């Protein structure tokens, strides 16, 4: 792979989620479980990130993602990029919902 990939979990405020990311047979395998953060009584997060240089995609009309899940779930999101939302110091990138077939 041309990029360094790694899993990231919710380590703050007692997060209990866990995940891993491996490349097997040229496929990225992202595995984990998102748990409720007891203090917040709300879901934590798991994510996979890739570091490295990427081509400029600003002229692209779409993004193709091939994904499959081992469980039925309707809350998947994809995010890429570092562009910041004006007035929000946390939100960045371009985001979209997606469905992954089981």
């Amino acid at each position: 792979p041309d990029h360094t990939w790694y899993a990231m979990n919710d380590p703050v405020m007692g997060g209990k989620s866990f995940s891993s990311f491996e490349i097997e047979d040229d496929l990225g395998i992202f595995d984990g479980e998102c748990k409720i953060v007891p203090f917040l009584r709300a879901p934590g997060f798991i994510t996979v990130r890739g570091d490295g240089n990427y081509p400029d995609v600003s002229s692209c009309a779409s993004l193709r993602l091939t994904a499959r899940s081992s469980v039925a779930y309707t809350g998947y999101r994809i995010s890429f990029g570092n562009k910041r939302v004006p007035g929000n110091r946390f939100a960045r990138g371009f985001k979209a919902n997606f469905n992954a077939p089981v």
Side-chain angles (χ1 to χ4, degrees):
D2 295 335
H3 303 92
T4 301
W5 296 93
Y6 58 95
M8 185 175 167
N9 305 316
D10 55 0
V12 297
M13 298 184 146
K16 307 285 185 193
S17 302
F18 60 91
S19 66
S20 64
F21 183 81
E22 299 177 55
I23 296 177
E24 296 179 8
D25 299 324
D26 292 329
L27 294 174
I29 309 293
F30 180 46
D31 187 33
E33 188 171 342
C34 188
K35 302 274 195 169
I36 299 296
V37 177
F39 174 78
L40 299 173
R41 295 187 190 118
F45 68 86
I46 60 175
T47 185
V48 63
R49 294 185 177 199
D51 289 338
N53 294 318
Y54 292 87
D56 180 0
V57 296
S58 61
S59 65
C60 294
S62 63
L63 172 71
R64 181 176 178 174
L65 176 68
T66 303
R68 184 177 67 206
S69 178
S70 60
V71 296
Y73 179 69
T74 59
Y76 290 114
R77 308 244 315 143
I78 186 166
S79 173
F80 68 95
N82 287 321
K83 190 168 185 171
R84 293 197 180 265
V85 174
N88 187 323
R89 67 183 185 129
F90 297 107
R92 68 173 103 168
F94 300 92
K95 298 169 178 47
N97 298 329
F98 73 93
N99 294 319
V102 177

